[in-house]
mmCIF file of all heavy atoms in Angstrom:
data_model
loop_
_atom_site.group_PDB
_atom_site.id
_atom_site.type_symbol
_atom_site.label_atom_id
_atom_site.label_comp_id
_atom_site.label_asym_id
_atom_site.label_seq_id
_atom_site.Cartn_x
_atom_site.Cartn_y
_atom_site.Cartn_z
ATOM 1 N N ILE A 1 2.796 50.310 -17.338
ATOM 2 C CA ILE A 1 2.119 51.511 -16.796
ATOM 3 C C ILE A 1 1.240 51.198 -15.653
ATOM 4 O O ILE A 1 0.414 50.214 -15.665
ATOM 5 C CB ILE A 1 1.379 52.074 -17.919
ATOM 6 C CG1 ILE A 1 2.381 52.554 -19.116
ATOM 7 C CG2 ILE A 1 0.614 53.489 -17.446
ATOM 8 C CD1 ILE A 1 1.599 53.048 -20.265
ATOM 9 N N TRP A 2 1.393 51.861 -14.530
ATOM 10 C CA TRP A 2 0.468 51.626 -13.345
ATOM 11 C C TRP A 2 -0.293 52.915 -13.216
ATOM 12 O O TRP A 2 0.194 54.057 -13.051
ATOM 13 C CB TRP A 2 1.278 51.374 -12.100
ATOM 14 C CG TRP A 2 0.377 51.464 -10.848
ATOM 15 C CD1 TRP A 2 -0.822 51.028 -10.734
ATOM 16 C CD2 TRP A 2 0.800 51.990 -9.601
ATOM 17 N NE1 TRP A 2 -1.235 51.145 -9.453
ATOM 18 C CE2 TRP A 2 -0.365 51.775 -8.655
ATOM 19 C CE3 TRP A 2 1.937 52.592 -9.052
ATOM 20 C CZ2 TRP A 2 -0.284 52.105 -7.424
ATOM 21 C CZ3 TRP A 2 1.931 52.979 -7.728
ATOM 22 C CH2 TRP A 2 0.848 52.692 -6.952
ATOM 23 N N GLN A 3 -1.661 52.752 -13.244
ATOM 24 C CA GLN A 3 -2.561 53.885 -13.042
ATOM 25 C C GLN A 3 -3.158 53.685 -11.593
ATOM 26 O O GLN A 3 -4.021 52.872 -11.353
ATOM 27 C CB GLN A 3 -3.794 53.771 -14.006
ATOM 28 C CG GLN A 3 -3.394 53.928 -15.495
ATOM 29 C CD GLN A 3 -3.067 55.386 -15.905
ATOM 30 O OE1 GLN A 3 -3.181 56.227 -15.067
ATOM 31 N NE2 GLN A 3 -2.677 55.514 -17.059
ATOM 32 N N PRO A 4 -2.702 54.540 -10.772
ATOM 33 C CA PRO A 4 -3.050 54.348 -9.290
ATOM 34 C C PRO A 4 -4.391 54.876 -8.903
ATOM 35 O O PRO A 4 -4.587 55.999 -8.370
ATOM 36 C CB PRO A 4 -1.896 55.158 -8.546
ATOM 37 C CG PRO A 4 -1.463 56.097 -9.520
ATOM 38 C CD PRO A 4 -1.590 55.589 -10.877
ATOM 39 N N ARG A 5 -5.402 54.237 -9.392
ATOM 40 C CA ARG A 5 -6.796 54.657 -9.188
ATOM 41 C C ARG A 5 -7.702 53.521 -9.304
ATOM 42 O O ARG A 5 -7.203 52.375 -9.681
ATOM 43 C CB ARG A 5 -7.106 55.750 -10.197
ATOM 44 C CG ARG A 5 -6.977 55.212 -11.664
ATOM 45 C CD ARG A 5 -7.536 56.268 -12.669
ATOM 46 N NE ARG A 5 -7.138 55.790 -14.024
ATOM 47 C CZ ARG A 5 -7.693 55.012 -14.763
ATOM 48 N NH1 ARG A 5 -8.827 54.251 -14.117
ATOM 49 N NH2 ARG A 5 -7.457 54.538 -15.967
ATOM 50 N N THR A 6 -9.065 53.683 -9.119
ATOM 51 C CA THR A 6 -10.014 52.623 -9.249
ATOM 52 C C THR A 6 -10.380 52.419 -10.747
ATOM 53 O O THR A 6 -9.960 53.332 -11.553
ATOM 54 C CB THR A 6 -11.332 53.013 -8.551
ATOM 55 O OG1 THR A 6 -11.842 54.229 -9.025
ATOM 56 C CG2 THR A 6 -11.041 53.044 -7.034
ATOM 57 N N TYR A 7 -10.993 51.290 -11.078
ATOM 58 C CA TYR A 7 -11.296 50.917 -12.457
ATOM 59 C C TYR A 7 -12.444 51.884 -12.998
ATOM 60 O O TYR A 7 -13.369 52.154 -12.315
ATOM 61 C CB TYR A 7 -11.637 49.517 -12.464
ATOM 62 C CG TYR A 7 -12.321 49.024 -13.794
ATOM 63 C CD1 TYR A 7 -11.525 48.794 -14.913
ATOM 64 C CD2 TYR A 7 -13.707 48.885 -13.901
ATOM 65 C CE1 TYR A 7 -12.186 48.394 -16.126
ATOM 66 C CE2 TYR A 7 -14.210 48.574 -15.005
ATOM 67 C CZ TYR A 7 -13.507 48.211 -16.178
ATOM 68 O OH TYR A 7 -14.119 47.959 -17.420
ATOM 69 N N ARG A 8 -12.113 52.096 -14.363
ATOM 70 C CA ARG A 8 -13.242 52.847 -15.078
ATOM 71 C C ARG A 8 -13.592 51.968 -16.317
ATOM 72 O O ARG A 8 -12.709 51.278 -16.893
ATOM 73 C CB ARG A 8 -12.798 54.190 -15.454
ATOM 74 C CG ARG A 8 -12.450 55.158 -14.442
ATOM 75 C CD ARG A 8 -12.407 56.591 -15.043
ATOM 76 N NE ARG A 8 -11.441 56.708 -16.143
ATOM 77 C CZ ARG A 8 -10.154 57.274 -16.042
ATOM 78 N NH1 ARG A 8 -9.867 57.821 -14.936
ATOM 79 N NH2 ARG A 8 -9.555 57.432 -17.032
ATOM 80 N N SER A 9 -14.946 51.989 -16.762
ATOM 81 C CA SER A 9 -15.254 51.237 -17.891
ATOM 82 C C SER A 9 -14.490 51.412 -19.093
ATOM 83 O O SER A 9 -14.272 50.501 -20.044
ATOM 84 C CB SER A 9 -16.903 51.335 -18.214
ATOM 85 O OG SER A 9 -17.603 50.863 -16.966
ATOM 86 N N ASP A 10 -14.076 52.741 -19.327
ATOM 87 C CA ASP A 10 -13.359 52.989 -20.575
ATOM 88 C C ASP A 10 -11.891 52.454 -20.588
ATOM 89 O O ASP A 10 -11.245 52.648 -21.643
ATOM 90 C CB ASP A 10 -13.351 54.434 -20.982
ATOM 91 C CG ASP A 10 -12.686 55.388 -19.885
ATOM 92 O OD1 ASP A 10 -12.311 54.749 -18.757
ATOM 93 O OD2 ASP A 10 -12.586 56.712 -19.944
ATOM 94 N N ASP A 11 -11.457 51.886 -19.422
ATOM 95 C CA ASP A 11 -10.025 51.120 -19.387
ATOM 96 C C ASP A 11 -9.995 50.092 -20.409
ATOM 97 O O ASP A 11 -8.837 49.689 -20.754
ATOM 98 C CB ASP A 11 -9.827 50.655 -17.961
ATOM 99 C CG ASP A 11 -9.592 51.862 -17.023
ATOM 100 O OD1 ASP A 11 -8.966 52.981 -17.508
ATOM 101 O OD2 ASP A 11 -9.744 51.733 -15.775
ATOM 102 N N VAL A 12 -11.165 49.497 -20.766
ATOM 103 C CA VAL A 12 -10.995 48.312 -21.579
ATOM 104 C C VAL A 12 -10.967 48.775 -23.132
ATOM 105 O O VAL A 12 -10.845 47.944 -24.041
ATOM 106 C CB VAL A 12 -12.214 47.342 -21.458
ATOM 107 C CG1 VAL A 12 -12.193 46.869 -20.055
ATOM 108 C CG2 VAL A 12 -13.487 47.953 -21.773
ATOM 109 N N ASP A 13 -11.126 50.062 -23.378
ATOM 110 C CA ASP A 13 -11.240 50.515 -24.758
ATOM 111 C C ASP A 13 -9.799 50.254 -25.451
ATOM 112 O O ASP A 13 -8.773 50.664 -24.844
ATOM 113 C CB ASP A 13 -11.528 52.017 -24.848
ATOM 114 C CG ASP A 13 -12.937 52.374 -24.370
ATOM 115 O OD1 ASP A 13 -13.753 51.485 -24.230
ATOM 116 O OD2 ASP A 13 -13.293 53.638 -24.152
ATOM 117 N N GLY A 14 -9.810 49.679 -26.534
ATOM 118 C CA GLY A 14 -8.589 49.382 -27.324
ATOM 119 C C GLY A 14 -7.737 48.415 -26.930
ATOM 120 O O GLY A 14 -6.641 48.242 -27.515
ATOM 121 N N VAL A 15 -7.994 47.554 -25.812
ATOM 122 C CA VAL A 15 -7.097 46.639 -25.289
ATOM 123 C C VAL A 15 -7.481 45.194 -26.042
ATOM 124 O O VAL A 15 -8.494 44.979 -26.560
ATOM 125 C CB VAL A 15 -7.173 46.371 -23.886
ATOM 126 C CG1 VAL A 15 -6.699 47.709 -23.244
ATOM 127 C CG2 VAL A 15 -8.416 45.900 -23.372
ATOM 128 N N TRP A 16 -6.479 44.307 -26.105
ATOM 129 C CA TRP A 16 -6.613 42.986 -26.690
ATOM 130 C C TRP A 16 -7.059 41.963 -25.703
ATOM 131 O O TRP A 16 -7.583 40.938 -26.096
ATOM 132 C CB TRP A 16 -5.434 42.643 -27.409
ATOM 133 C CG TRP A 16 -5.149 43.346 -28.643
ATOM 134 C CD1 TRP A 16 -4.805 44.650 -28.898
ATOM 135 C CD2 TRP A 16 -5.231 42.742 -29.940
ATOM 136 N NE1 TRP A 16 -4.624 45.005 -30.068
ATOM 137 C CE2 TRP A 16 -4.937 43.789 -30.891
ATOM 138 C CE3 TRP A 16 -5.480 41.540 -30.540
ATOM 139 C CZ2 TRP A 16 -4.817 43.713 -32.275
ATOM 140 C CZ3 TRP A 16 -5.463 41.262 -31.913
ATOM 141 C CH2 TRP A 16 -5.138 42.379 -32.675
ATOM 142 N N PHE A 17 -6.654 42.228 -24.442
ATOM 143 C CA PHE A 17 -6.858 41.133 -23.497
ATOM 144 C C PHE A 17 -6.992 41.730 -22.090
ATOM 145 O O PHE A 17 -6.312 42.762 -21.820
ATOM 146 C CB PHE A 17 -5.773 40.165 -23.565
ATOM 147 C CG PHE A 17 -5.818 38.975 -22.564
ATOM 148 C CD1 PHE A 17 -6.521 37.920 -22.842
ATOM 149 C CD2 PHE A 17 -5.045 38.998 -21.341
ATOM 150 C CE1 PHE A 17 -6.621 36.822 -21.837
ATOM 151 C CE2 PHE A 17 -5.008 37.921 -20.545
ATOM 152 C CZ PHE A 17 -5.815 36.803 -20.821
ATOM 153 N N VAL A 18 -7.695 41.170 -21.309
ATOM 154 C CA VAL A 18 -8.016 41.719 -19.772
ATOM 155 C C VAL A 18 -7.896 40.706 -18.850
ATOM 156 O O VAL A 18 -8.405 39.490 -18.993
ATOM 157 C CB VAL A 18 -9.352 42.463 -19.709
ATOM 158 C CG1 VAL A 18 -9.626 42.970 -18.320
ATOM 159 C CG2 VAL A 18 -9.610 43.480 -20.783
ATOM 160 N N GLN A 19 -7.181 41.031 -17.681
ATOM 161 C CA GLN A 19 -7.024 40.056 -16.577
ATOM 162 C C GLN A 19 -7.594 40.807 -15.296
ATOM 163 O O GLN A 19 -7.060 41.851 -15.038
ATOM 164 C CB GLN A 19 -5.562 39.781 -16.366
ATOM 165 C CG GLN A 19 -5.274 38.979 -14.985
ATOM 166 C CD GLN A 19 -5.767 37.613 -14.952
ATOM 167 O OE1 GLN A 19 -5.305 36.742 -15.921
ATOM 168 N NE2 GLN A 19 -6.605 37.186 -14.157
ATOM 169 N N THR A 20 -8.560 40.277 -14.667
ATOM 170 C CA THR A 20 -9.082 40.913 -13.450
ATOM 171 C C THR A 20 -8.361 40.184 -12.262
ATOM 172 O O THR A 20 -8.181 39.004 -12.315
ATOM 173 C CB THR A 20 -10.576 40.758 -13.242
ATOM 174 O OG1 THR A 20 -10.918 39.391 -12.902
ATOM 175 C CG2 THR A 20 -11.175 41.096 -14.532
ATOM 176 N N ALA A 21 -7.997 40.861 -11.160
ATOM 177 C CA ALA A 21 -7.332 40.248 -10.141
ATOM 178 C C ALA A 21 -7.443 41.268 -8.927
ATOM 179 O O ALA A 21 -6.518 41.495 -8.133
ATOM 180 C CB ALA A 21 -5.884 39.983 -10.409
ATOM 181 N N THR A 22 -8.684 41.717 -8.666
ATOM 182 C CA THR A 22 -8.833 42.725 -7.636
ATOM 183 C C THR A 22 -9.004 42.066 -6.255
ATOM 184 O O THR A 22 -8.848 42.734 -5.250
ATOM 185 C CB THR A 22 -9.975 43.702 -7.970
ATOM 186 O OG1 THR A 22 -11.185 42.953 -7.963
ATOM 187 C CG2 THR A 22 -9.875 44.405 -9.295
ATOM 188 N N GLY A 23 -9.572 40.922 -6.237
ATOM 189 C CA GLY A 23 -9.990 40.170 -5.121
ATOM 190 C C GLY A 23 -11.345 40.694 -4.615
ATOM 191 O O GLY A 23 -11.914 40.125 -3.688
ATOM 192 N N ASP A 24 -11.998 41.540 -5.353
ATOM 193 C CA ASP A 24 -13.371 41.900 -5.212
ATOM 194 C C ASP A 24 -14.279 41.371 -6.235
ATOM 195 O O ASP A 24 -14.215 41.947 -7.430
ATOM 196 C CB ASP A 24 -13.378 43.433 -5.053
ATOM 197 C CG ASP A 24 -14.875 43.828 -4.680
ATOM 198 O OD1 ASP A 24 -15.921 43.298 -4.940
ATOM 199 O OD2 ASP A 24 -14.891 45.149 -4.090
ATOM 200 N N PRO A 25 -15.097 40.389 -5.907
ATOM 201 C CA PRO A 25 -15.923 39.761 -7.036
ATOM 202 C C PRO A 25 -16.806 40.731 -7.743
ATOM 203 O O PRO A 25 -17.064 40.683 -9.002
ATOM 204 C CB PRO A 25 -16.826 38.680 -6.285
ATOM 205 C CG PRO A 25 -16.019 38.418 -4.984
ATOM 206 C CD PRO A 25 -15.339 39.651 -4.659
ATOM 207 N N ALA A 26 -17.299 41.778 -7.151
ATOM 208 C CA ALA A 26 -18.193 42.701 -7.646
ATOM 209 C C ALA A 26 -17.393 43.560 -8.805
ATOM 210 O O ALA A 26 -17.981 43.675 -9.915
ATOM 211 C CB ALA A 26 -18.811 43.656 -6.630
ATOM 212 N N VAL A 27 -16.258 43.983 -8.414
ATOM 213 C CA VAL A 27 -15.370 44.589 -9.378
ATOM 214 C C VAL A 27 -14.909 43.870 -10.449
ATOM 215 O O VAL A 27 -15.059 44.163 -11.623
ATOM 216 C CB VAL A 27 -14.255 45.379 -8.663
ATOM 217 C CG1 VAL A 27 -13.329 46.055 -9.751
ATOM 218 C CG2 VAL A 27 -14.618 46.244 -7.611
ATOM 219 N N ASP A 28 -14.531 42.583 -10.298
ATOM 220 C CA ASP A 28 -14.175 41.757 -11.278
ATOM 221 C C ASP A 28 -15.217 41.366 -12.268
ATOM 222 O O ASP A 28 -15.044 41.365 -13.478
ATOM 223 C CB ASP A 28 -13.511 40.368 -10.749
ATOM 224 C CG ASP A 28 -12.187 40.543 -10.037
ATOM 225 O OD1 ASP A 28 -11.623 41.608 -10.121
ATOM 226 O OD2 ASP A 28 -11.645 39.539 -9.285
ATOM 227 N N THR A 29 -16.424 41.194 -11.675
ATOM 228 C CA THR A 29 -17.618 40.870 -12.547
ATOM 229 C C THR A 29 -17.903 42.158 -13.489
ATOM 230 O O THR A 29 -18.266 42.000 -14.649
ATOM 231 C CB THR A 29 -18.842 40.589 -11.708
ATOM 232 O OG1 THR A 29 -18.467 39.349 -10.934
ATOM 233 C CG2 THR A 29 -20.010 40.359 -12.628
#
């Protein structure tokens, strides 16, 4: 599933694992 938008904090709700790869250190942090 591709969500064509910027990241929101509630995106991590209910997931088991997260991989950041935006290329923007501030967003990844």
Side-chain angles (χ1 to χ4, degrees):
I1 297 172
W2 172 37
Q3 299 284 354
R5 56 172 173 79
T6 59
Y7 166 77
R8 298 193 306 250
S9 293
D10 60 0
D11 286 329
V12 300
D13 293 348
V15 302
W16 284 70
F17 182 81
V18 178
Q19 169 75 57
T20 76
T22 67
D24 184 334
V27 176
D28 286 353
T29 299

